[in-house]
Amino acid sequence: MDGEQIEQNEQVRRFNRTVTERLGVLHDRYLGRDRPIGEARLLWEVGEEGRDVRRLRERLGLDSGYVSRLLRSLETGGLVTVEPQPEDRRVRTVRLTDAGRAERALLDRRSDELAGSLLEPLNEAQRARLVAAMAEVDRLLTAATVTLDAVDPDHADAQHCLRSYYTELQERFETGFDPTRSLLPDAGELRPPHGLFLVARLRGEPVGCAGLKLPPRAPAEIKRMWVAPGARGLGLGRRFLTELEARAVRNGRDVLRLDTNKALTAAIGLYHSQGFREVPAFNHEPYAHHWFEKRIATG
């Protein structure tokens, strides 16, 4: 670890200490209530419609044992109910009771008071700077929580992303989008050793996808890269391209290709910024107006 990394790590640790102290998360009685922050966070996350336990764990990044202990405490206090779903008793759903809704409303009021106490000592300019800095930190920390996983293209999360992608293309392309007319890769072309398919997940939810074809004795080709509108601005497009390039290199490829439609202007700008150059058409994709290629390092 070099000097710059050491200083960066120390700054992160100082930030963490300041935030945890100022927000009162070190106390067992968070916001003056008779419970730690973990239980309060669960009450916020359950929401009005309820949520299944697995989604709660994924959303908060907590292990099953810890979540079970928190839920038992809340259930004992009469704030939530935990019941199996009739159609699948392995899936348990958490719902707020009336007492739980009242407790969450009180936590909301006290949380607003805490936020006000953070801003009140500052002048107007300082408040604006702090709020803007918090928004930037929130965006970057959210980006850091996104995972990229190689999955089978028939996986439910992959199919969710692809359906969303096709729906967006239908709305954005001048001619609409019919998957049956496009040069869609067969699922087998996006499975090892012929290729791979990545899904991005944010707190357990799929928010993006990208495929890589690895045809024998031919350049690698990026297919079906998409990021959900709510996850844009987190740098996922750039992250997908970087990861797919690295995987192409590991598979012995020295050229990476892709094609795109003229309506996808943000994507075109991204490709240029990542070192792709426009080349003559290398396929007969009916929805493509631009074809790109990039020489990638193999050594």
Side-chain angles (χ1 to χ4, degrees):
M1 186 179 297
D2 60 29
E4 182 178 1
Q5 289 176 309
I6 292 173
E7 175 55 32
Q8 288 176 341
N9 287 350
E10 181 54 34
Q11 179 57 58
V12 170
R13 293 177 63 185
R14 285 196 298 269
F15 177 81
N16 289 343
R17 289 193 294 269
T18 299
V19 170
T20 54
E21 177 185 355
R22 190 66 182 87
L23 296 184
V25 301
L26 303 176
H27 304 292
D28 290 335
R29 297 171 58 86
Y30 180 63
L31 294 176
R33 305 301 291 159
D34 192 22
R35 62 184 46 84
I37 190 173
E39 292 183 13
R41 193 76 173 91
L42 279 182
L43 288 175
W44 276 312
E45 289 299 331
V46 169
E48 285 299 319
E49 301 301 319
R51 192 175 296 230
D52 74 62
V53 174
R54 181 177 66 85
R55 289 297 186 188
L56 275 176
R57 291 200 307 266
E58 292 174 345
R59 167 70 178 161
L60 298 175
L62 301 174
D63 68 72
S64 58
Y66 183 55
V67 169
S68 295
R69 290 194 295 275
L70 293 176
L71 288 175
R72 278 198 301 271
S73 177
L74 292 173
E75 200 171 17
T76 299
L79 302 179
V80 302
T81 61
V82 183
E83 298 174 342
Q85 292 185 5
E87 62 274 15
D88 187 349
R89 298 187 64 82
R90 294 171 300 177
V91 179
R92 296 182 301 147
T93 300
V94 186
R95 290 186 172 86
L96 297 176
T97 63
D98 288 342
R101 293 186 185 91
E103 179 67 14
R104 192 182 63 178
L106 177 58
L107 288 170
D108 279 337
R109 290 195 297 274
R110 295 202 174 181
S111 185
D112 285 340
E113 292 169 0
L114 175 60
S117 74
L118 292 174
L119 297 173
E120 194 277 331
L122 305 177
N123 62 42
E124 186 174 345
Q126 289 174 320
R127 291 180 189 180
R129 287 173 55 200
L130 178 59
V131 171
M134 285 178 168
E136 179 70 359
V137 168
D138 179 62
R139 185 183 69 83
L140 293 173
L141 288 180
T142 298
T145 66
V146 175
T147 61
L148 295 187
D149 303 298
V151 304
D152 189 276
D154 287 334
H155 187 283
D157 286 350
Q159 289 298 305
H160 166 81
C161 289
L162 288 172
R163 285 193 301 270
S164 301
Y165 175 59
Y166 300 153
T167 298
E168 181 171 348
L169 297 188
Q170 170 65 26
E171 296 170 351
R172 297 187 63 180
F173 287 3
E174 291 179 353
T175 59
F177 180 77
D178 180 358
T180 63
R181 292 189 60 232
S182 179
L183 296 181
L184 291 168
D186 180 83
E189 296 180 272
L190 298 178
R191 294 189 181 107
H194 308 294
L196 60 96
F197 197 81
L198 299 177
V199 167
R201 295 185 177 99
L202 175 59
R203 303 184 182 98
E205 299 292 335
V207 294
C209 64
L212 183 69
K213 288 177 60 177
L214 296 166
R217 297 177 299 280
E221 189 173 345
I222 294 173
K223 303 297 293 184
R224 306 310 176 224
M225 191 173 84
W226 173 80
V227 175
R232 290 170 193 172
L234 300 179
L236 290 186
R238 196 175 304 276
R239 187 171 167 190
F240 270 132
L241 291 177
T242 300
E243 180 64 21
L244 292 176
E245 179 177 331
R247 300 230 182 188
V249 168
R250 290 204 295 270
N251 281 274
R253 302 309 197 273
D254 59 3
V255 175
L256 190 57
R257 287 176 170 175
L258 58 88
D259 60 70
T260 193
N261 186 279
K262 64 183 181 181
L264 305 179
T265 54
I268 292 170
L270 173 64
Y271 303 145
H272 281 296
S273 72
Q274 287 292 99
F276 286 83
R277 64 182 182 87
E278 199 153 354
V279 296
F282 51 78
N283 62 24
H284 299 288
E285 170 59 58
Y287 292 106
H289 300 102
H290 303 276
W291 289 259
F292 288 92
E293 184 176 282
K294 181 179 181 180
R295 294 282 171 179
I296 53 180
T298 58

